[in-house]
């Protein structure tokens, strides 16, 4: 089946640094990708919808200047957490919609720990 | 705003027991409904989905779910669970006029041999 590769799977960084997370669709093209975050024992919360070649659409309460999203190609979207703080520590998951059949596939997630 | 409730946070069963996980959503319009599963150390995978038609939907690995519109529910069932069904299960809703999935908080299922 279709695969979405998310990298890195886990990252530890110092407070104030920036972290980039990549989401790649390996065998299909995706004009739309989604970024979620999940706190322990809570639901996946949609952060933003990433559209290839245009600006991302952010959900209410998500700071677009802090969570920079770039979707420069049909197979890659990146999420950069800028000036990370400990409260940004969370599990981030991406998903990608296959243009050919509209099916949605998820990445394996990135555990971010900010010290 | 749309929301999804999964009332069972942690379910423990013995093999061969029957399973039913509750899922209720709040949205007045037409929705698509999904159940996803996340096995330990793996990514989310689609178990089954309901778009329209027969409200009883059959998915992979012997799972099924029934959409009851009047109850705003989409409960997941399996008549006889296996140890390999141990995983986290997420219910999700997508309103027809949006591209967004709204997830429930998930239910952790543990099946003991």
């Amino acid at each position: 089946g279709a695969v979405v590769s998310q990298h890195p799977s886990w990252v530890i960084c110092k407070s104030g640094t920036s972290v980039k997370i990549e989401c790649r669709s390996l065998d299909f093209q995706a004009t739309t990708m989604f970024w979620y975050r999940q706190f322990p024992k809570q639901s996946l919360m949609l952060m933003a919808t990433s559209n290839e070649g245009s600006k991302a659409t952010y959900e209410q309460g998500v700071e677009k200047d802090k969570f920079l999203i770039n979707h420069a190609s049909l197979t890659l979207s990146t999420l950069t957490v800028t000036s990370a703080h400990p409260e940004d520590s969370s599990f981030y998951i991406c998903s990608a919609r296959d243009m050919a059949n509209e099916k949605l596939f998820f990445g394996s997630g990135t555990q971010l720990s900010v010290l | 705003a749309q929301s999804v409730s999964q009332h069972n946070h942690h379910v423990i069963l013995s093999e061969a027991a029957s399973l039913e996980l509750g899922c209720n959503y709040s949205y007045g319009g037409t929705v698509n409904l999904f159940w996803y599963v996340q096995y330990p150390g793996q990514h989310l995978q689609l178990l089954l989905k309901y778009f329209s038609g027969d409200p009883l939907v059959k998915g992979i690995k012997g799972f099924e779910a029934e959409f009851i519109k009047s109850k705003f529910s989409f409960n997941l069932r399996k008549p006889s669970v296996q140890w390999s069904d141990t995983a986290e299960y997420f219910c999700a809703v997508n309103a027809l006029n949006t591209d967004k999935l709204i997830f429930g908080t998930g239910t952790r299922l543990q099946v003991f041999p």
Side-chain angles (χ1 to χ4, degrees):
Chain A
V3 176
V4 173
S5 172
Q6 190 172 337
H7 179 80
S9 55
W10 61 271
V11 57
I12 301 173
C13 69
K14 291 182 178 180
S15 186
T17 61
S18 294
V19 174
K20 181 186 282 188
I21 303 170
E22 293 188 348
C23 181
R24 291 182 187 272
S25 55
L26 295 187
D27 50 3
F28 65 94
Q29 293 183 325
T31 53
T32 306
M33 293 187 178
F34 303 89
W35 287 96
Y36 296 83
R37 65 187 297 183
Q38 183 182 27
F39 293 105
K41 298 186 180 181
Q42 293 188 31
S43 179
L44 283 80
M45 299 297 294
L46 180 65
M47 297 175 66
T49 302
S50 170
N51 302 295
E52 186 267 337
S54 64
K55 291 182 179 180
T57 304
Y58 290 82
E59 294 301 297
Q60 191 173 11
V62 178
E63 298 175 60
K64 61 181 181 181
D65 295 329
K66 181 168 186 62
F67 298 100
L68 299 179
I69 290 172
N70 184 281
H71 192 160
S73 79
L74 288 172
T75 59
L76 174 65
S77 175
T78 60
L79 169 68
T80 301
V81 183
T82 62
S83 187
H85 290 282
E87 57 264 32
D88 298 325
S89 298
S90 186
F91 191 63
Y92 294 85
I93 300 177
C94 73
S95 66
R97 188 181 301 283
D98 189 336
M99 285 174 59
N101 55 29
E102 295 295 303
K103 290 184 178 179
L104 197 64
F105 299 95
F106 285 82
S108 53
T110 298
Q111 181 64 52
L112 170 64
S113 296
V114 184
L115 303 178
Chain B
Q2 299 171 48
S3 67
V4 178
S5 297
Q6 289 182 245
H7 306 295
N8 316 104
H9 298 295
H10 190 188
V11 174
I12 302 173
L13 294 173
S14 298
E15 275 193 320
S18 64
L19 170 73
E20 180 158 2
L21 301 182
C23 173
N24 288 89
Y25 67 93
S26 65
Y27 182 69
T30 305
V31 295
N32 298 323
L33 298 153
F34 306 80
W35 274 98
Y36 284 88
V37 60
Q38 188 171 25
Y39 296 104
Q42 298 186 30
H43 54 82
L44 279 167
Q45 301 173 43
L46 182 66
L47 257 186
L48 49 78
K49 62 186 177 187
Y50 171 79
F51 283 3
S52 64
D54 189 344
L56 185 61
V57 180
K58 295 193 183 299
I60 60 172
K61 304 187 181 186
F63 286 91
E64 65 177 31
E66 185 175 11
F67 171 50
I68 303 180
K69 190 174 181 180
S70 61
K71 295 185 178 180
F72 297 89
S73 70
F74 190 55
N75 292 356
L76 180 71
R77 299 194 292 248
K78 185 170 183 177
S80 176
V81 295
Q82 300 173 314
W83 175 78
S84 58
D85 294 325
T86 294
E88 186 101 20
Y89 292 81
F90 293 92
C91 180
V93 169
N94 162 225
L96 279 191
N97 60 349
T98 77
D99 214 8
K100 308 168 191 176
L101 275 177
I102 308 298
F103 284 86
T105 51
T107 297
R108 184 180 173 210
L109 172 65
Q110 280 184 292
V111 180
F112 289 95

